[in-house]
Amino acid sequence: MAPEKSQLGEIIDRYRPDIQPFEDVYRQIHSNPELSGQEEQTAKIASDHLNSLGFEVTTKIGGHGVAGILRNGNGPTILVRADMDALPVKEKTGLPYASKKEVKDESGSKSVMHACGHDFHVTTLMAASTLLHSARDHWSGTLICIFQPAEEHLDGAQAMLTDGLYDRIPKPDIVLAQHVVRMRAGSVNLHAGPLLTAADAYDVRVYGRGGHGSAPQTTIDPIVIGASIVTKLQSIVSREVTPGKLAIVTCGSIHAGTSSNIIPAHLDLQLNVRTFDADVRKQVCGAIHRIIEAECMAAGAVEKPDIKRTFSTPSTINDGKTVDSLRETFAPYFGKNLVEMDPPAASEDFSLLATAVGAPYVMWMWGGVDEKTWDDAVDKGTLDQLPGNHSPFFAPVLQPTLKTGIDAMALGALTFLKK
């Protein structure tokens, strides 16, 4: 039998570790962010911590992925996951522990920042693993802690699976994760059904025929073709998708030419698509191919366009029964701070860790905006002006954000680990 729901809060309060050392860990990770696929030091911090607790630890799964197993008798296997990677963003928070890190690659120098809160994800899971290890007399089963690389590229979960994740660890019965977002600090959002959108990205090259800017009649101008494509793509959502169904088509990058008096030979586009419904996703992606190919044909392009899907990840749809179980434990613990919010049009690859083995999964959100700042913004109607994820000003307050994340992750696992 599971512990009485009222007892879980007592377990959390009794076994929660001293938070001060984890605040220091958070500052360390925040000040030293690592881009997708480069999370070596962050992974070492996580794996060293799990090793110190006596977990069975495997490293370098699908890159810098870490898996820790704590076997504690008979019972379900619960997998909890945190992502580790940062973003190529120059931090403007003004925090005393703000990142000043820069990395160089073939494209030049890039600033790096934890602009999506993965530093909180890593730290809260480390602290929650300590809490659950200390409280192991109160639960039975197997706990798996996953520290995942390359979520921002939406390929880290698949990389871990491809590298034999479930040949190295037990298959989970339930998979859980959490994400810090622009919400009031101390609040937790638990939402059944569609939570995060599917994402598809495309690199497109349109071929024309270059020439002198003064003689456009001798050329096939790829910039004109590209402009027509970008404009026409916006009609997919407004004229082809059923009203009320979510779909977003964005052209995030367009490049062509090197001089004002030269018509270039090609143009490059980068497109991003977000959808919830599988049929809508198929419809929108098909329309993108159709429109690009038709516009090139109409303009007499010398070659068919190259349309390459660079990444793809499914939507995140929280399991209803698992959410119901979590709500039974979260509601008495978080009280009025358990809130509802509309699903964001963001995307994640977390669900693949569950669907690969047919396990139900849930991701919940928790807030990091200073309470007074949030309340003032509510009064003024300026919530949309508060920095959100991926902003250079994204700076969740250290407390109560860290404590809330620790408690929520530990409570989520204890909901299903039996005694």
Side-chain angles (χ1 to χ4, degrees), residues 79-155:
L79 186 153
V80 287
R81 170 271 206 179
D83 39 7
M84 300 185 289
D85 50 332
L87 288 159
V89 174
K90 184 175 179 61
E91 182 161 356
K92 298 180 181 179
T93 63
L95 292 168
Y97 49 87
S99 169
K100 298 178 175 61
K101 186 172 181 178
E102 292 192 356
V103 297
K104 293 183 179 180
D105 59 19
E106 63 278 359
S107 63
S109 180
K110 294 179 181 178
S111 297
V112 187
M113 174 193 174
H114 267 298
C116 202
H118 296 185
D119 43 359
F120 269 107
H121 302 176
V122 172
T123 309
T124 54
L125 182 52
M126 287 173 58
S129 69
T130 301
L131 190 160
L132 292 166
H133 178 268
S134 299
R136 58 193 182 279
D137 287 346
H138 297 275
W139 59 268
S140 181
T142 298
L143 174 69
I144 300 174
C145 295
I146 294 291
F147 293 87
Q148 181 202 307
E151 183 279 327
E152 295 294 353
H153 285 179
L154 297 177
D155 60 6

Side-chain angles (χ1 to χ4, degrees), residues 396-417:
V397 292
L398 192 49
Q399 295 295 358
T401 307
L402 187 60
K403 177 181 178 295
T404 303
I406 295 167
D407 292 359
M409 183 58 84
L411 184 59
L414 284 171
T415 300
F416 303 102
L417 290 166

Side-chain angles (χ1 to χ4, degrees), residues 17-267:
D18 179 7
I19 293 182
Q20 179 62 53
F22 291 101
E23 290 183 353
D24 295 339
V25 169
Y26 168 76
R27 295 186 187 97
Q28 178 185 357
I29 296 174
H30 185 91
S31 299
N32 296 278
E34 295 174 298
L35 292 173
S36 303
Q38 301 176 19
E39 309 93 339
E40 182 176 4
Q41 292 306 311
T42 307
K44 186 176 188 304
I45 291 171
S47 61
D48 285 352
H49 177 73
L50 294 178
N51 274 312
S52 73
L53 295 174
F55 279 66
E56 302 168 32
V57 180
T58 304
T59 61
K60 299 188 182 303
I61 310 172
H64 293 294
V66 176
I69 306 169
L70 180 59
R71 304 178 196 269
N72 192 37
N74 296 325
T77 298
I78 307 302
L79 186 153
V80 287
R81 170 271 206 179
D83 39 7
M84 300 185 289
D85 50 332
L87 288 159
V89 174
K90 184 175 179 61
E91 182 161 356
K92 298 180 181 179
T93 63
L95 292 168
Y97 49 87
S99 169
K100 298 178 175 61
K101 186 172 181 178
E102 292 192 356
V103 297
K104 293 183 179 180
D105 59 19
E106 63 278 359
S107 63
S109 180
K110 294 179 181 178
S111 297
V112 187
M113 174 193 174
H114 267 298
C116 202
H118 296 185
D119 43 359
F120 269 107
H121 302 176
V122 172
T123 309
T124 54
L125 182 52
M126 287 173 58
S129 69
T130 301
L131 190 160
L132 292 166
H133 178 268
S134 299
R136 58 193 182 279
D137 287 346
H138 297 275
W139 59 268
S140 181
T142 298
L143 174 69
I144 300 174
C145 295
I146 294 291
F147 293 87
Q148 181 202 307
E151 183 279 327
E152 295 294 353
H153 285 179
L154 297 177
D155 60 6
Q158 186 59 57
M160 293 187 76
L161 293 169
T162 301
D163 199 20
L165 174 66
Y166 290 123
D167 295 328
R168 310 184 194 200
I169 67 172
K171 293 179 174 60
D173 297 301
I174 293 174
V175 179
L176 304 173
Q178 60 183 5
H179 206 301
V180 64
V181 296
R182 183 177 60 186
M183 284 172 30
R184 193 177 193 272
S187 64
V188 176
N189 172 61
L190 197 55
H191 180 88
L195 179 74
L196 299 170
T197 59
D200 297 277
Y202 294 91
D203 284 355
V204 179
R205 173 158 287 188
V206 172
Y207 296 96
R209 184 169 62 236
H212 202 289
S214 66
Q217 74 279 5
T218 66
T219 72
I220 297 173
D221 192 336
I223 294 178
V224 174
I225 300 173
S228 296
I229 289 172
V230 171
T231 302
K232 185 67 174 177
L233 288 176
Q234 301 313 304
S235 70
I236 296 174
V237 175
S238 65
R239 288 296 177 268
E240 298 191 37
V241 175
T242 301
K245 297 282 190 179
L246 184 139
I248 300 169
V249 179
T250 297
C251 177
S253 174
I254 181 167
H255 290 279
T258 57
S259 174
S260 63
N261 65 344
I262 300 173
I263 294 172
H266 66 265
L267 172 140

